């Protein structure tokens, strides 16, 4: 049975069609074979305000078990992408990223590899192993991230191992990224889904 995937992306990559290539690649395959159902929402909901957008993102994450970050040139800077990543992490989704700048845009051009948004996010496990505190890299330093349910800390589903307690982890050391073209995403996407 296919697993539901939430896609996080910068809207510019939809305009350029790069995000669409990944999000819609199942259309040329059997939906079960491609390994996912698309459960993402579109950034056009921003017009409703931040609280409404958070609700829509949260609703979009419902019934998903995976979150895929489509990495373009400016993805790492997008505040809603950061929110979606941390919300996915708190929810317990399998998270991974796909670099999409190697995909030709509507004008037939590619771009250099975009910066990995996982490099700009991190978390620290509490000394007792029961909580996780979220951080983002902002203005050349790590600062608390308080956009998830009004707090920077949340209770873990299960206590962290002693080896992980009290340590800081950059998300890029935890979550894998792939390159759509180089790693043959069309063929291998279903194996990247957790």
């Amino acid at each position: 049975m296919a697993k539901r995937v939430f896609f996080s992306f910068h809207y510019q990559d939809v305009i350029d069609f790069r995000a669409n290539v990944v999000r819609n690649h199942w259309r040329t395959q059997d939906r079960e074979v491609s390994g996912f159902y698309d459960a993402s929402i579109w950034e056009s909901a921003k017009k409703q305000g931040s609280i409404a957008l958070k609700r829509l993102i949260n609703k979009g994450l419902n019934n998903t078990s995976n979150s895929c970050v489509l990495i373009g040139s400016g993805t790492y800077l997008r505040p809603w992408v950061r929110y979606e990543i941390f919300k996915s992490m708190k929810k317990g989704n399998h998270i991974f990223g796909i670099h999409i700048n190697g995909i030709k845009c509507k004008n037939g051009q590619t771009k250099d590899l975009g910066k990995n948004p996982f490099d700009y996010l991190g978390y620290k496990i509490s000394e007792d192993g029961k909580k996780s505190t979220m951080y983002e890299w902002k203005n050349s330093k790590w600062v608390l991230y308080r956009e998830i349910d009004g707090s920077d800390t949340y209770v873990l589903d299960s206590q962290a191992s002693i080896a992980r307690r009290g340590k800081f982890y950059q998300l890029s050391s935890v979550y894998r990224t792939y390159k759509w073209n180089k790693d043959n995403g069309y063929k291998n996407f279903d194996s990247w889904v957790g």
Side-chain angles (χ1 to χ4, degrees):
M1 180 177 200
K3 297 180 180 179
R4 293 179 62 89
V5 177
F6 179 89
F7 287 94
S8 181
F9 50 85
H10 182 358
Y11 194 68
Q12 183 60 48
D13 294 317
V14 173
I15 294 168
D16 292 340
F17 292 109
R18 288 185 176 90
N20 301 346
V21 168
V22 179
R23 293 179 71 240
N24 295 320
H25 85 276
W26 63 268
R27 292 180 190 268
T28 59
Q29 304 180 36
D30 176 270
R31 196 169 183 134
E32 294 285 329
V33 172
S34 68
F36 73 97
Y37 292 106
D38 184 0
S40 67
I41 59 174
W42 292 82
E43 242 183 76
S44 61
K46 283 198 296 190
K47 297 173 186 173
Q48 298 178 35
S50 63
I51 292 173
L53 185 51
K54 284 181 180 182
R55 284 185 190 134
L56 286 170
I57 291 169
N58 297 345
K59 184 178 177 185
L61 280 164
N62 282 345
N63 301 315
T64 64
S65 57
N66 288 265
S67 293
C68 175
V69 181
L70 302 179
I71 305 169
S73 299
T75 309
Y76 76 105
L77 293 170
R78 306 305 301 164
W80 292 114
V81 169
R82 291 180 178 205
Y83 178 85
E84 291 163 344
I85 292 169
F86 275 133
K87 195 69 178 182
S88 296
M89 192 173 87
K90 182 179 177 188
K91 183 181 179 299
N93 275 15
H94 170 74
I95 301 171
F96 61 102
I98 299 176
H99 288 278
I100 60 172
N101 276 354
I103 298 171
K104 290 181 180 179
C105 72
K106 60 185 175 184
N107 298 324
Q109 298 176 355
T110 61
K111 293 182 179 180
D112 292 335
L113 201 65
K115 291 183 180 181
N116 184 350
F118 300 148
D119 287 338
Y120 298 85
L121 302 173
Y123 65 94
K124 183 176 182 180
I125 302 292
S126 62
E127 294 294 336
D128 64 5
K130 295 180 180 179
K131 296 179 181 175
S132 178
T133 302
M134 299 167 283
Y135 292 87
E136 66 179 325
W137 184 254
K138 204 171 192 180
N139 300 321
S140 302
K141 62 183 176 183
W142 288 104
V143 297
L144 293 171
Y145 184 84
R146 293 190 168 105
E147 294 297 321
I148 304 298
D149 306 322
S151 178
D152 54 32
T153 302
Y154 64 94
V155 177
L156 297 170
D157 289 336
S158 60
Q159 192 171 19
S161 68
I162 292 172
R164 296 185 66 221
R165 296 179 190 178
K167 294 183 180 173
F168 177 84
Y169 297 90
Q170 202 168 356
L171 295 193
S172 55
S173 71
V174 179
Y175 300 124
R176 290 202 58 179
T177 59
Y178 304 92
K179 296 175 184 164
W180 182 257
N181 289 354
K182 184 178 178 188
D183 296 324
N184 196 358
Y186 183 79
K187 179 180 177 186
N188 293 317
F189 184 88
D190 59 329
S191 68
W192 301 341
V193 171

